[in-house]
Amino acid sequence: MLISLLRKKLNDISISRKLYFTIGIITFLVIVELCTLWFSITTLSAVRSYVGGEGLWSKSQKNAILNLREYGYTYDEKNYHAFKEFLKVPFGDKIARIEMGKANPDLEAVRAGFLQGRNHPADIDNMIGLTKRFSKVYYLNKAFVAWQKAEPVLDELLTIGEELHALITAPKIDKEKIKILLNEIERLNTELTILEDGFSYTLGEGARWLESMVLKLVLALSITIGTTSIVIAISINKSIKKGLDVIVEGAELVKKGQLDTRVKIFANDEIGRVANAFNEMIETLEHKVAESKVTEAKLVTERHRAQSSEKAKHVFLVNMSHEIRTPMNGIQGFASYIRESLVDKEHLEAIEMIIKSADHLMRILNDILDFSGLGNEDVDFIKQPLKVRDVIKDACLYVESNAKFKKIGLSYSIGTRVPNIFIGDSIRLSQIFVNLVSNAIKFTEKGEVVISADLIEETKENVIIEFRIKDTGIGIPIEKQQKIFELFEQGTSGTSRKFGGVGLGLSMVKRLVELQNGKIFLESTPGDGSVFYFRMPFVKINDREKDNHIPAGPDTGEEPGRGIKVLIVEDNPINQLLVIKVLQKRGYETTIAQNGKIGIEKYKSEDFDIILMDLQMPEMDGYEATKYIRRMGAEKAGIPIVAMTAHTIQGELEKCLAIGMNDYVSKPFSSDELNLKIQHLVGSKHKDEKSVLK
């Protein structure tokens, strides 16, 4: 009877009045919910602040005890000052707690105490509010009791610290009393740990209780608001259908991309406000689209700027490579030149150390420059026939002196099924071997390093070779074995200090192997050595092509350069003198030109057998000079030209070959390498001419 009466009364109320009544209820509930949320958030934030403050409190106490203990062992005054400094944190919290326990606390004193306790200034007011509102709650009160119990322990700790300081600073140190005080410190540390655990556990309990209460309250308010909203939707459906239809129609138009759509507003009621909000939203969306176009244009500009920055980095690396290698060429070249004429053992050892130091510096420079290209996958691999035995042998020869110095065995073996010759990049393969074998020798104190190569898979066109480098070194911990291939990573924290290195080698090896469709693996046990092995595919070569692709060795005569005229186009006086001495010692006839322009004039007026061309020179560089020579008449255009430069950035060899140069020698250069390249390009020709004259 009562329900029927209420339903009749509700039906008699106009829709607008029901709307006003319901909106008032919803507004009230929303305000209550927002206030509840605000209260909950600030309270939870205060709990979070207390938890953070407890962490600082606990950490400071532990640090204070740690420094006091260290002071008892080391007698270092710094530890005592650190102990007193760390105690300021819990004593500051103590000041705040005691003041908050008063009937009318001085809030400025409370803030000062919390600040001394290193609490964040923005959190302090929330912490004060939480203490005021919930100080009588079981959990918070229990936490404060645990907090209060810790304070006498801290006072006792301070007293012991002062006694310890007095004993240590006394004219005669009583170590027995100090030992007793250290035992007391350990006891206090145990008591504080128990109290800290109780404080932390109680704060956790309080946080969970508060969270449960907030969730229940918010859920109740949400259900109430949801139910009221459903009632509103049902009761005013007919009166708002017209306005909703217009909004839906406008939304469909916007969905089709017509952002100039605006819906008609029929009244200044809630539906009208929704329609107005819809219009404002579409207007904002239009602005956002316009802004996104501006942003897109900015992104294009930034991309161009980034590309320019990358280009600038490349130019910087080119210049740095040239500027470092040019003086290093003089150091290494003249050191090697002097070594050949020394007989005194002490002098020979000194010059060997100079050469080794220069080689070490150049190896680091090469790793950095190579890795700059590897990181962008800006690597061109030169595919040509190679002898795997020669590559491994050369790598062993390169590091042999280090192995002999450490009295470490160094050997290699090649499986019978491994082809003698196949297609690959011998330079990059040698680079991989040198890095891995050098690394193995560096971390091996006794025993041996063994290199092996075996065929593991073969198809009609390709072979997959597995190369192993096994050492008896210090080994690598299991947790470091994956990180060892990352940039600047080494096996242990003390490795770089003991063994040196910048941590680029293994990372670069991994990139070189993977860029050639290979994989690298590691097996290692600390104390028992390591095995680095990698598998790479290579293209098979038929027997008929083998002899046509492997170049002959250099002339082994005492003066292989006799009768060969060399034009040296070089602007650096030190490098000029070095090249002249190296070549004249082997019998070559040399002429110097200070830049490309002078070199062309000398070549026009005189015949030469080969040109050694620097790339970076004033007036006319090596690129322009080479292009000019290749455009000369047939009798002049075909002369062999070898680039001899400090530029070693990736792609430089290909660039030199593309403009017509025949070969490339990087500075610092090996005199044997330079002689080999000259003999390969012009030596056979002069042998034929000499035989004809005879």
Side-chain angles (χ1 to χ4, degrees):
M1 191 74 171
L2 181 61
I3 295 175
S4 299
L5 181 63
L6 289 173
R7 184 179 296 146
K8 187 175 183 302
K9 287 288 186 181
L10 289 173
N11 289 334
D12 291 340
I13 298 174
S14 66
I15 294 176
S16 59
R17 293 185 67 182
K18 284 195 291 185
L19 180 62
Y20 293 142
F21 178 75
T22 309
I23 288 175
I25 293 176
I26 292 176
T27 302
F28 173 77
L29 291 174
V30 168
I31 292 172
V32 171
E33 184 177 33
L34 289 174
C35 292
T36 303
L37 286 173
W38 176 83
F39 172 80
S40 303
I41 290 170
T42 54
T43 304
L44 288 174
S45 176
V47 172
R48 187 263 305 159
S49 301
Y50 263 110
V51 171
E54 189 275 335
L56 291 171
W57 180 69
S58 300
K59 183 178 179 182
S60 297
Q61 290 176 159
K62 292 298 182 185
N63 285 335
I65 291 173
L66 176 63
N67 277 277
L68 187 58
R69 187 189 298 131
E70 287 292 319
Y71 183 49
Y73 288 112
T74 64
Y75 306 158
D76 190 345
E77 193 78 7
K78 292 189 296 184
N79 293 119
Y80 179 70
H81 292 308
F83 157 73
K84 298 194 73 175
E85 189 65 27
F86 280 118
L87 276 186
K88 289 181 180 180
V89 173
F91 282 130
D93 292 337
K94 175 183 177 181
I95 293 170
R97 185 195 62 75
I98 293 174
E99 189 65 32
M100 285 297 297
K102 297 178 180 179
N104 296 307
D106 183 355
L107 297 184
E108 290 302 319
V110 174
R111 290 189 181 92
F114 278 136
L115 283 174
Q116 183 179 328
R118 297 184 184 175
N119 295 282
H120 197 282
D123 294 333
I124 291 176
D125 287 338
N126 287 340
M127 295 169 71
I128 294 173
L130 177 69
T131 306
K132 284 182 175 180
R133 291 193 293 267
F134 296 97
S135 60
K136 301 302 181 184
V137 172
Y138 168 75
Y139 299 104
L140 196 60
N141 185 58
K142 183 179 177 182
F144 281 171
V145 170
W147 189 4
Q148 186 175 3
K149 286 181 179 179
E151 289 168 0
V153 180
L154 288 175
D155 292 335
E156 186 177 354
L157 181 64
L158 180 61
T159 302
I160 290 175
E162 291 173 350
E163 292 177 9
L164 183 63
H165 181 60
L167 287 173
I168 291 173
T169 55
K172 184 177 180 181
I173 297 177
D174 190 338
K175 293 186 177 180
E176 288 299 322
K177 289 185 178 181
I178 290 176
K179 185 176 180 181
I180 293 171
L181 291 180
L182 288 173
N183 291 334
E184 286 297 303
I185 291 171
E186 289 297 329
R187 178 183 63 78
L188 294 178
N189 184 32
T190 303
E191 292 182 17
L192 281 174
T193 300
I194 295 171
L195 293 171
E196 288 167 2
D197 290 343
F199 189 19
S200 299
Y201 183 82
T202 305
L203 280 178
E205 284 185 313
R208 287 189 292 274
W209 168 78
L210 186 60
E211 180 182 2
S212 175
M213 182 186 69
V214 169
L215 286 174
K216 290 177 182 177
L217 185 59
V218 171
L219 180 61
L221 288 171
S222 299
I223 292 173
T224 302
I225 294 174
T227 303
T228 306
S229 301
I230 292 172
V231 172
I232 292 175
I234 294 173
S235 63
I236 64 174
N237 178 62
K238 292 183 181 180
S239 62
I240 64 176
K241 188 176 183 303
K242 183 178 180 181
L244 288 178
D245 286 343
V246 173
I247 295 174
V248 170
E249 182 181 352
E252 289 294 330
L253 293 174
V254 172
K255 184 179 178 181
K256 294 177 181 179
Q258 299 181 23
L259 297 182
D260 58 345
T261 301
R262 299 293 184 271
V263 299
K264 185 177 180 181
I265 300 174
F266 295 100
N268 192 27
D269 55 11
E270 285 72 12
I271 302 302
R273 289 198 291 273
V274 171
N276 185 56
F278 179 85
N279 290 338
E280 291 178 355
M281 180 184 69
I282 299 305
E283 186 175 352
T284 302
L285 183 60
E286 276 190 303
H287 288 305
K288 291 294 183 184
V289 170
E291 289 175 1
S292 68
K293 291 180 179 179
V294 174
T295 303
E296 183 179 358
K298 289 181 179 179
L299 288 175
V300 172
T301 303
E302 289 298 323
R303 184 170 65 251
H304 291 157
R305 186 178 300 169
Q307 291 171 348
S308 298
S309 176
E310 186 67 24
K311 183 178 180 181
K313 184 187 80 170
H314 179 79
V315 172
F316 172 77
L317 287 174
V318 170
N319 291 333
M320 285 303 298
S321 171
H322 184 275
E323 293 303 321
I324 295 175
R325 286 176 179 274
T326 296
M328 282 304 300
N329 179 51
I331 294 171
Q332 287 187 305
F334 277 110
S336 299
Y337 181 80
I338 293 171
R339 179 179 56 184
E340 296 176 5
S341 61
L342 291 177
V343 293
D344 183 81
K345 183 178 179 181
E346 185 177 347
H347 291 172
L348 279 171
E349 288 179 353
I351 204 71
E352 286 290 347
M353 291 304 297
I354 292 174
I355 293 172
K356 283 183 177 293
S357 298
D359 288 342
H360 180 70
L361 179 60
M362 287 308 304
R363 197 175 304 122
I364 294 174
L365 176 64
N366 289 335
D367 284 351
I368 294 171
L369 294 174
D370 280 346
F371 206 87
S372 67
L374 289 173
N376 299 322
E377 300 188 5
D378 183 20
V379 183
D380 295 322
F381 293 98
I382 301 173
K383 302 297 184 181
Q384 60 185 9
L386 64 89
K387 288 184 178 180
V388 66
R389 184 176 298 274
D390 289 346
V391 173
I392 296 177
K393 182 179 178 181
D394 290 344
C396 289
L397 288 174
Y398 186 82
V399 299
E400 185 178 26
S401 60
N402 291 335
K404 288 182 177 179
F405 179 77
K406 299 183 75 174
K407 298 180 181 179
I408 296 169
L410 179 62
S411 61
Y412 66 88
S413 64
I414 300 175
T416 56
R417 297 178 59 217
V418 177
N420 185 37
I421 303 174
F422 45 74
I423 301 294
D425 191 326
S426 61
I427 295 176
R428 293 301 180 184
L429 184 59
S430 176
Q431 192 175 7
I432 293 170
F433 271 116
V434 169
N435 271 285
L436 290 177
V437 177
S438 297
N439 196 67
I441 292 173
K442 178 168 43 171
F443 295 106
T444 301
E445 297 297 331
K446 60 181 179 178
E448 61 178 350
V449 175
V450 179
I451 307 168
S452 62
D454 285 297
L455 176 70
I456 62 170
E457 188 176 331
E458 183 175 8
T459 64
K460 185 177 180 180
E461 298 180 349
N462 299 298
V463 291
I464 296 179
I465 309 296
E466 180 180 276
F467 302 96
R468 284 180 171 261
I469 295 87
K470 184 178 185 301
D471 64 63
T472 56
I474 61 175
I476 302 169
I478 187 68
E479 66 272 10
K480 281 283 187 178
Q481 291 183 14
Q482 291 301 317
K483 293 183 178 180
I484 200 72
F485 292 103
E486 297 177 4
L487 271 175
F488 310 115
E489 281 287 343
Q490 295 193 343
T492 64
S493 60
T495 298
S496 61
R497 291 193 298 271
K498 182 176 180 181
F499 297 100
V502 294
L504 281 175
L506 290 179
S507 178
M508 186 168 62
V509 164
K510 184 173 185 289
R511 293 293 295 144
L512 285 173
V513 171
E514 290 179 346
L515 288 174
Q516 296 179 88
N517 301 315
K519 290 184 178 180
I520 188 166
F521 308 90
L522 167 62
E523 296 175 359
S524 182
T525 303
D528 292 335
S530 305
V531 180
F532 286 88
Y533 63 99
F534 61 96
R535 297 170 180 172
M536 282 175 50
F538 298 93
V539 178
K540 295 168 68 175
I541 184 171
N542 59 53
D543 294 334
R544 187 175 59 186
E545 295 175 312
K546 291 179 182 178
D547 296 331
N548 297 332
H549 288 87
I550 304 300
D555 192 335
T556 57
E558 293 183 0
E559 290 189 345
R562 183 172 296 279
I564 298 177
K565 299 179 67 176
V566 183
L567 175 60
I568 304 165
V569 186
E570 167 68 62
D571 65 317
N572 187 282
I574 296 176
N575 288 333
Q576 290 174 2
L577 179 60
L578 175 61
V579 177
I580 289 173
K581 285 185 175 294
V582 167
L583 294 183
Q584 287 183 352
K585 190 172 184 179
R586 285 177 165 81
Y588 292 95
E589 299 177 26
T590 59
T591 302
I592 288 291
Q594 286 74 22
N595 57 52
K597 186 175 180 181
I598 297 173
I600 290 172
E601 293 301 322
K602 289 194 176 186
Y603 184 49
K604 286 180 179 178
S605 61
E606 188 177 349
D607 290 331
F608 294 94
D609 297 300
I610 190 168
I611 299 176
L612 302 182
M613 182 76 72
D614 189 20
L615 296 183
Q616 189 174 10
M617 295 179 291
E619 292 195 54
M620 179 183 287
D621 60 28
Y623 303 109
E624 291 300 319
T626 300
K627 291 177 183 178
Y628 186 93
I629 291 171
R630 294 307 184 214
R631 292 194 298 267
M632 295 172 71
E635 71 283 358
K636 288 282 190 180
I639 186 171
I641 301 176
V642 176
M644 191 173 65
T645 178
H647 283 299
T648 58
I649 297 301
Q650 186 61 41
E652 197 64 40
L653 171 59
E654 293 74 15
K655 182 178 178 181
C656 291
L657 296 178
I659 64 172
M661 292 185 176
N662 301 84
D663 211 331
Y664 179 99
V665 175
S666 64
K667 299 175 185 175
F669 63 84
S670 163
S671 59
D672 291 335
E673 178 191 9
L674 180 60
N675 179 57
L676 174 64
K677 290 184 181 291
I678 295 175
Q679 289 294 316
H680 178 64
L681 291 172
V682 300
S684 58
K685 168 187 170 185
H686 275 257
K687 286 180 183 177
D688 294 340
E689 290 177 355
K690 290 176 183 178
S691 62
V692 170
L693 290 174
K694 290 180 180 179

